[in-house]
Amino acid sequence: MAAKLIKGAEISKQIREEIAVEIEELKGKHGLTPGLATILVGDDPGSKVYVGQKEKACDKLGIYSARTDIPADTSEEDLLGLVEKFNNDPKIHGILVQLPLPKHIDATRVIYAIEPDKDVDCFHPVNVGKLMIGTARFLPCTPHGIMELLKRSGTDTSGKHVVVVGRSNIVGKPIANLMLQRSPGGNATVTLCHTGTKDLAAFTKMADILIVAIGQPKAITADMVKDGVVVIDVGVNRIGKTPEGKGILAGDVDFDSVQEKAAAITPVPGGVGPMTITMLMKNTVEAAKATIGTK
Ligand code: L34
């Protein structure tokens, strides 16, 4: 039986409509326009696409967007200076430095430099710590998007076995944490697998909900999952080009075979990706709201 598709693009649209109402209210009642600064270092093709999508989403929603593109050989000091400028700019409520950064720049140092109240990615250790103890204002965009996909597709997580594959700071670690919080959308039993895991399939086969974020095209195949699993595929891998020069994308999950066994699955593209952008918009609005009454 073919799986139900969890359509991130559609769910995303719905959430953006809700965000648009909030923005209207902020502008009308408080004269406040949320502002997002995006910084893109270098010219990684994926990063360019994603930052472009972020800028476009801001424009459509009426969020002020300040995009800064700087060359790959920019020094760490110059990038830190730019972050500091936006930390002090009252028009900017959210700051996003697109990752990955060039090798000569210490990404940790850059993340530490972002004012935590403007850290709409939720990458700063203060915000990561708050996330762990369940008191965060922002949730990281991709994990937050996954939570909303599960919620809005009617997937209950409480008491389920969630298996996460991939231990990145940006997806795997935070989503595992969110899934085990004693709160709606969480309360799951969580297993976190990674490159050190022996017999990965033994774990993925146990999953009621399988979340994969490893950046390896079609790595999870049908023989690695059980019937009725709900699959969230976070991977966006560029695996080639059509004769017309359009990029071909594949997830971390072998969609064609796995969808035969799954109860529900996210497609790539049009699954988790658009949700990441949408939750960034949401966090930017939250960051703007938090400044009301503090000036
Ligand atoms: N600082 N760096 C920072 N914050 C982030 O939240 C990100 N990420 C990840 C990479 N670096 C980051 C993103 O924005 C990944 N990511 C992201 C965002 C959007 C999409 C994919 C990854 C997305 O919209 N993907 C589309 C396909 C777009 C295409 O044609 O390439 C999709 O439908 O999946």
Side-chain angles (χ1 to χ4, degrees), residues 86-258:
F86 288 126
N87 279 343
N88 296 319
D89 182 344
K91 291 196 300 300
I92 296 299
H93 305 99
I95 301 170
L96 178 142
V97 180
Q98 188 71 18
L99 301 180
L101 288 169
K103 285 208 169 53
H104 69 278
I105 296 177
D106 179 356
T108 305
R109 212 172 149 216
V110 176
I111 288 166
Y112 272 64
I114 298 170
E115 163 60 41
D117 288 343
K118 296 191 177 188
D119 169 36
V120 282
D121 267 326
C122 193
F123 288 170
H124 191 285
V126 165
N127 291 324
V128 176
K130 287 182 178 178
L131 178 145
M132 277 197 76
I133 61 171
T135 61
R137 175 188 305 137
F138 307 123
L139 298 181
C141 303
T142 302
H144 197 184
I146 294 170
M147 304 273 288
E148 286 293 325
L149 283 178
L150 290 172
K151 186 168 120 194
R152 293 181 190 239
S153 65
T155 310
D156 188 18
T157 54
S158 186
K160 299 284 172 61
H161 186 187
V162 174
V163 177
V164 177
V165 188
R167 60 176 148 192
S168 68
N169 288 336
I170 163 164
V171 186
K173 283 182 199 162
I175 191 64
N177 248 288
L178 288 167
M179 283 292 144
L180 58 77
Q181 297 290 328
R182 192 204 298 266
S183 52
N187 206 34
T189 301
V190 178
T191 300
L192 180 47
C193 300
H194 45 73
T195 46
T197 300
K198 287 184 184 147
D199 196 2
L200 175 64
F203 293 98
T204 56
K205 269 186 208 159
M206 285 196 281
D208 300 315
I209 299 169
L210 180 63
I211 302 173
V212 190
I214 53 177
Q216 297 209 14
K218 305 184 189 186
I220 304 293
T221 46
D223 56 311
M224 297 170 75
V225 303
K226 73 174 179 190
D227 282 320
V229 63
V230 173
V231 180
I232 303 290
D233 187 354
V234 184
V236 181
N237 304 291
R238 285 155 209 283
I239 57 169
K241 285 198 169 156
T242 64
E244 298 81 44
K246 253 193 94 192
I248 303 171
L249 301 179
D252 292 344
V253 174
D254 181 31
F255 182 90
D256 291 341
S257 72
V258 171

